Amino acid sequence: MTKDNTDMGQAAGTASGLSRRSFLKTGAALAGVAAGAGVGSGVITGFPAVIAAEPVTLRYLSTATNQAPAIAEQAFKDIGIKIEYVTVTTDDVTKRIITQPNSFDLVDTEYFSLRNLIPSGNLMGLDAKKIKLADKIAPVITKGQVDGKTIGDQGTAPKKVFYLESQFSKKFASEPTEWITLIPTTYNADTLGIRPDLIGRPIDSWAELLNPQFKGKASILNIPSIGIMDAAMVMEASGKHKYADKGNMTKEEIDLTIAALIEAKKAGQFRAFWTDFNESVNLMASGETVIQSMWSPAVTAVRLKGIPCKFQPLKEGYRAWASGFGLPKTLKGKQLDGAYEFVNWFLSGWAGAYLNRQGYYSAVLETAKEHMAPYEWAYWMEGKPAEQDIHGPDGGLLEKAGATRDGGSYTERMGAVACWNAIMDENAYMVRKWNEFIAA
Amino acid sequence: MTIRARWTSYWQATPLVVVLGIFFVLPLLVMLAVSFWTYTGYSIAPAFVTDNYRDAFDGCASQFPTLCTTFRTYASTLKFCVIVWALTLVIGFAIAYYLTFMIRSNTVRLMLALLCTIPFWTSNVIRMISWIPLLGRNGLVNQALVGAGFIHQPLDWLLYSDFSVILAFVHINTVFMIVPIANSMARIDRSLVEAAYDSGATGWQTLRHVIIPLAKSGIAIGSIFVITVVMGDFITIGLMGGQQIASAGKVIQTQISALQFPIAAANAIVLLAVVLMIIALLVRFIDIRKEL
């Protein structure tokens, strides 16, 4: 539409010897005169006004986990920006950014994939000066600290990939700069999900995932870069190997980790593997599995069905991940301004509160707190017993009064992070070995 | 035939050749070229290296007689292929026979043939997912069996097993056998069957010496459909096998997800070669062009 108009304008300009710019100027002057004279002002000045008022639509690429229709609705209500969700799996987000960088206006992707995304040059740094709350972003992401205490940074910890050397740089900066790779949306500390009713005893170690007691009732996620980290946590917990960096294994370490997985698989340990959120919910809710790698909102989803499910804290700590907004390099003009406006709105509290109620953590905690009831904040963030019934963002009953959150407070959970989701240097080799595991 | 008439047939074939050339041959050539390229996690670069094929067959020589990943994957896929082919052939043939020879009324035959397509009214994925509440550990079948007192523990092998994969494959693919076989059966001259009967042939003899040979082209076409679908599948095997069973398609999909396009292309070429070999073998036994 716009392009056609431009072409027509240029064609007309060439034909009549009148440049498009001067034509527009004339038009504007005429409109001004017309408005001043009060003749037909509604028609002529109304034309550009309609274009300006046309809502910006942002194609928001991410996995299903981060896409809530309620957030899109609220954003439209608050700032008049239309969000059009493009839903794909974790791996496909990366694939889309690399192969079809013009098919979205805003992407919500994980920090660990930045090691592949930034060198491709398809994303640009976000200008910290345009992000109003940039300095309020939780230090757990920017500095890897919780309450001033440094937490585990094995793997691709966000602080390692948070800044770029310049807006279009393909290199991460070691010092804070003005250019931010991703503005965090959500992050969390992941652990194993269990069915306490079917297990009937306390679980306190990652090693339990491969405990023969749960033969045929365990599951691990079939996304190689994340699954291997869970496997590494199991290996360390069972004392089979101590990694220098679980998020960046040597070929030998990959070999021995995969060998352990293959051994367990051949012994019939796993019921199934899962790749998306809903599969993990179905496996757990149907009782096909009783212990498995899981994501926090999936545990919430199982509980909303009235089925007991626990996001079990384990003594070896959590595997953390963080996800954030990135912008495609080609984004310009109104879309770009709209994207910054949406990101700023996202950090301003309503969305953060919504995500916190799902069991995620939001980037700017202070603003989210303002949008949560004190009892909700106490339950979700401070690990205190719920003063009243806790409801999910969709209104479903999540916990009765008196319950406490699995793993406790924000400080306890994020403070116990052992490693982060990662892309290893030996990623190609790891994927090949992972395929071997699936084929075994 | 004049020279001009010969050229006419070439002109008539041109549109199809152009479409196939652009949408089939060209992409295939690109894939072949890419299979020799190099890659990183975020880029692919033109080159001519055989590393991708070497990686695909990594350990196949050194681990022998233990099968390497690729051989094991193909062995597993071929196993499904043979079992599913045999089952769909028997079931499809029986249904086609019933539709063609047992049903007298054309209307009834048409209605029954349409009934066979009912599973296709929903998407492939939905059809497969609906097996899960049926076959799961706490699914309907297990509940019924436990309730009736046949078993005490739910059967685990009903779901996420070879059994469930084969069940879903047969369910989805039988219709691909029914249609071509019924089609070739419908063209069998009834007087041949009557002649066999009058000459004192038993039902079995008539089937073996008259009907099967005359339905061979339908069997071959149905077989090609089923074999190519099963060889390239990864969704059915993934969903019904709990992602625990390898398939050539799944290997390629994982590699594409990891943005390793060249090695995925190399694997796709290997898969294509295997499927072509199977079809070549099939065509050796049945000359489809002659039979049509």
Side-chain angles (χ1 to χ4, degrees), chain A residues 91 94-95 98 116 119 216-217 222 265 270-273 275 279 283 286-288 428 431-432 435-436 438-439, chain B residues 41-42 55 58 69 72-73 136-138 156 159-160 242-244 246 250-251 254-261:
Chain A
D91 282 336
T94 310
K95 204 161 57 181
I98 300 219
N116 278 340
K217 293 176 180 174
N222 189 8
K265 186 184 171 197
F270 302 111
R271 179 63 172 151
F273 301 133
T275 34
E279 285 172 338
L283 281 173
S286 64
E288 298 294 334
V431 170
R432 200 167 91 210
N435 271 333
E436 238 169 75
I438 299 299
Chain B
Y42 48 86
D55 280 356
D58 178 51
T69 316
R72 222 176 12 235
T73 305
R137 189 175 277 142
N138 303 312
D156 275 349
L159 188 59
Y160 303 137
Q243 303 189 19
Q244 293 219 64
K250 181 70 192 172
V251 169
T254 309
Q255 285 159 344
I256 290 178
S257 297
L259 297 161
Q260 303 171 348
F261 293 109

Side-chain angles (χ1 to χ4, degrees), chain A residues 24-251:
Chain A
L24 284 180
K25 266 190 201 154
T26 319
L30 278 175
V33 171
V39 181
S41 63
V43 182
I44 300 174
T45 55
F47 181 60
V50 166
I51 291 188
E54 195 178 278
V56 175
T57 301
L58 296 175
R59 292 166 297 167
Y60 177 140
L61 172 71
S62 80
T63 61
T65 23
N66 290 6
Q67 301 182 340
I71 293 182
E73 270 167 40
Q74 188 70 26
F76 186 70
K77 220 188 288 170
D78 289 355
I79 53 172
I81 288 177
K82 256 194 201 157
I83 295 297
E84 192 181 296
Y85 286 127
V86 182
T87 319
V88 295
T89 62
T90 308
D91 282 336
D92 279 345
V93 173
T94 310
K95 204 161 57 181
R96 279 287 271 268
I97 296 171
I98 300 219
T99 58
Q100 303 167 56
N102 295 322
S103 66
F104 58 91
D105 305 312
L106 183 68
V107 60
D108 187 353
T109 185
E110 289 204 41
Y111 281 84
F112 79 88
S113 41
L114 286 175
R115 289 198 60 195
N116 278 340
L117 299 179
I118 293 301
S120 78
N122 289 345
L123 294 183
M124 63 177 169
L126 281 98
D127 189 344
K129 284 185 298 198
K130 290 193 193 166
I131 305 293
K132 285 180 208 129
L133 296 166
D135 52 346
K136 291 273 169 48
I137 292 170
V140 67
I141 302 294
T142 54
K143 299 190 198 118
Q145 290 176 346
V146 174
D147 273 2
K149 193 187 96 190
T150 302
I151 60 167
D153 67 350
Q154 288 191 10
T156 311
K159 66 171 181 185
K160 299 180 189 169
V161 293
F162 199 74
Y163 297 104
L164 285 181
E165 287 181 349
S166 65
Q167 185 170 16
F168 297 106
S169 170
K170 294 181 181 182
K171 284 210 184 85
F172 300 109
S174 45
E175 292 295 311
T177 67
E178 192 196 326
W179 305 104
I180 297 175
T181 51
L182 298 176
I183 296 292
T185 46
T186 51
Y187 51 96
N188 209 338
D190 280 359
T191 181
L192 296 175
I194 62 164
R195 282 282 299 268
D197 55 329
L198 298 178
I199 290 182
R201 70 173 173 88
I203 296 288
D204 71 342
S205 167
W206 279 88
E208 300 280 7
L209 185 65
L210 296 187
N211 185 338
Q213 187 197 338
F214 307 120
K215 192 177 149 197
K217 293 176 180 174
S219 175
I220 194 166
L221 80 175
N222 189 8
I223 298 173
S225 47
I226 309 178
I228 191 93
M229 300 297 286
D230 281 358
M233 292 298 282
V234 173
M235 292 290 282
E236 277 198 349
S238 53
K240 284 185 190 151
H241 185 74
K242 182 108 183 87
Y243 301 87
D245 183 348
K246 288 184 276 295
N248 204 1
M249 301 184 190
T250 62
K251 279 190 173 179

